[in-house]
Amino acid sequence: MDGYAAKRERMVADQIAARGIRDPRVLDAMRRVPREEFVRRLSRPNAYADHPLPIGSGQTISQPYIVALTVEAARVDEHSHVLDVGTGSGYAAAVLAEIVADVVSIERHAELADGAREVLARLGYSNVTVVTGDGTLGWPDAAPYDAIVVAAAAPRVPDPWLEQLKEGGRVVMPVGTPGFGQKLQRFTLGPERLPRVDDLGGVTFVPLIGTHGLGAPLFEEGDD
Ligand code: SAM
């Protein structure tokens, strides 16, 4: 076992299984995806640490436990067709791709989308399509989805996501305004397209910026 594989096993045992993630599909996926490939070279020694890491453009790769919690809450399986909003490094898309039939992953920063597309292709994830755009609009071309998983916080679920979800489909997203407390929540679309809400605990995410999210900040790291 190489050094990273040993760290990966410890991450799953100590950070993920120990905190109550039980779905064997999620635990196996987290054991398989080489997280060190999704972080900057300088961050590689810390790739399996129990916190987010910077990935450029003022963005982060999420803490491993939060990725596992989000994917487990989405209740996906090998038949699922999933929209991943906020590609970032591409790590969460890779974890999903280990479990589901296919993933469309959308990122508003073109340079992050390009980087994620490159690493996902190099690692052989042929069931992920990375697109650049405003994920608050969803991605109607590939709708409807069994699940929409989101890695950026907004005060409410964007309407296009509920329109692009199958009946019984799930949106898992951080709800709240950055700096004012956020909760990870699951919205399950029931009959008559009314969502049922489950709270999954407090979280801290970057803002979801777009038409149905928050306004763009005046300045972001990486802007000229
Ligand atoms: N899932 C990512 C990973 O595994 O690295 C973590 C991504 S980071 C916490 C959240 C990402 O959401 C950022 O890359 C940010 O640019 C992106 N984002 C924010 N608003 C967005 C929007 N409206 N559409 C698409 N991406 C958005």
Side-chain angles (χ1 to χ4, degrees):
M1 200 186 273
D2 65 37
Y4 287 123
K7 285 184 178 188
R8 199 149 54 235
E9 283 296 324
R10 271 202 304 280
M11 171 193 81
V12 171
D14 299 349
Q15 301 175 32
I16 296 174
R19 290 188 177 126
I21 303 296
R22 290 282 169 267
D23 186 337
R25 288 174 287 217
V26 177
L27 297 173
D28 285 349
M30 301 291 293
R31 279 193 192 100
R32 282 197 294 267
V33 179
R35 187 169 160 92
E36 69 277 8
E37 298 290 338
F38 293 87
V39 301
R40 293 161 148 182
R41 192 166 293 278
L42 276 174
S43 296
R44 285 191 178 173
N46 296 322
Y48 292 92
D50 193 13
H51 52 72
L53 291 165
I55 54 171
S57 303
Q59 305 302 322
T60 54
I61 178 173
S62 305
Q63 180 189 5
Y65 168 66
I66 295 296
V67 175
L69 179 65
T70 304
V71 175
E72 184 178 63
R75 294 189 172 147
V76 288
D77 63 20
E78 67 274 22
H79 305 294
S80 303
H81 173 52
V82 180
L83 179 65
D84 169 47
V85 179
T87 312
S89 68
Y91 176 72
V95 171
L96 283 163
E98 290 279 352
I99 301 170
V100 307
D102 60 276
V103 183
V104 176
S105 185
I106 184 163
E107 170 57 52
R108 64 184 282 268
H109 285 289
E111 66 280 13
L112 290 178
D114 290 347
R117 200 178 289 115
E118 184 276 316
V119 66
L120 289 162
R122 179 160 50 77
L123 295 175
Y125 288 105
S126 55
N127 58 342
V128 184
T129 305
V130 178
V131 296
T132 303
D134 175 3
T136 70
L137 302 172
W139 191 255
D141 290 2
Y145 302 98
D146 296 289
I148 300 178
V149 301
V150 188
R156 60 188 292 272
V157 184
D159 290 337
W161 297 354
L162 297 175
E163 289 156 14
Q164 292 173 30
L165 211 53
K166 293 180 190 170
E167 185 174 325
R170 287 80 52 202
V171 174
V172 182
M173 71 174 286
V175 177
T177 307
F180 293 91
Q182 303 165 6
K183 295 192 279 197
L184 194 65
Q185 292 189 318
R186 175 177 54 213
F187 299 82
T188 306
L189 205 58
E192 293 167 28
R193 304 197 71 74
L194 286 175
R196 191 189 72 227
V197 187
D198 297 297
D199 277 347
L200 306 167
V203 287
T204 305
F205 274 89
V206 296
L208 181 74
I209 294 168
T211 309
H212 296 268
L214 297 163
L218 293 175
F219 172 81
E220 284 184 283
E221 184 190 315
D223 286 352
D224 288 326

